[in-house]
Amino acid sequence: MIRRAHLQASRPQPFGLLNPETDGDMGLPERMHHYHTLYPLEDLALAEERPSMTLGVRTLVLKGISAVDGQPYALRWIDGRQVILTPELLNAAHESVDKWSVLSNHPHVVCPRQAVATKEMEDTASLVFAYEYHPGTSA
């Protein structure tokens, strides 16, 4: 019992638990597609410095609230300056989301729910994948 309490106390607070209203301006847009109340789930400075280890390009994971269903989502934004968004790429992203949807009810897999194109980040057409938000998890 003591060990569990020690581990929980020593664990750093995830970015998603900070209060966006009191943490000041972080340089994020107010909305991205139909997601609002955007908040980083990772350190913005580190996201600027190094690319995603999985994708090899600059990405950023944000928490956003859907204006459609009111639910929180984890949004993975892929830098449009490094990956040029074309209609073919957007169609491939939609097909990928559809293929993953067969696993959407699996208890151990977080599948992409939506792929959207947006220009709200850095005025460049970018690709964003939306996933169900699970607090305390890592990407």
Side-chain angles (χ1 to χ4, degrees):
M1 185 75 162
I2 294 172
R3 183 178 175 157
R4 181 186 308 188
H6 172 71
L7 289 173
Q8 289 175 340
S10 65
R11 209 171 147 195
Q13 185 178 22
F15 288 95
L17 297 180
L18 300 175
N19 185 348
E21 294 176 5
T22 60
D23 292 330
D25 181 27
M26 292 170 279
L28 297 173
E30 288 185 25
R31 298 181 71 86
M32 191 164 31
H33 200 262
H34 63 265
Y35 300 97
H36 61 87
T37 317
L38 302 176
Y39 200 72
L41 293 177
E42 58 189 12
D43 189 344
L44 292 174
L46 290 177
E48 285 284 331
E49 294 174 11
R50 59 180 177 207
S52 162
M53 294 184 74
T54 306
L55 301 174
V57 295
R58 184 173 159 236
T59 67
L60 181 61
V61 180
L62 305 166
K63 175 184 173 185
I65 307 297
S66 172
V68 174
D69 62 11
Q71 295 298 311
Y73 288 87
L75 307 171
R76 179 170 296 274
W77 170 79
I78 300 173
D79 190 344
R81 295 171 300 171
Q82 295 181 342
V83 176
I84 306 301
L85 185 60
T86 63
E88 294 81 16
L89 178 60
L90 187 57
N91 286 336
H94 288 148
E95 289 173 10
S96 177
V97 169
D98 291 341
K99 288 178 184 176
W100 276 98
S101 68
V102 297
L103 295 174
S104 63
N105 291 326
H106 193 285
H108 304 293
V109 177
V110 179
C111 300
R113 297 292 184 178
Q114 185 180 30
V116 297
T118 183
K119 276 191 150 184
E120 283 91 355
M121 291 278 286
E122 300 184 359
D123 293 326
T124 305
S126 302
L127 182 60
V128 176
F129 285 96
Y131 299 84
E132 284 184 18
Y133 175 68
H134 296 276
T137 60
S138 62

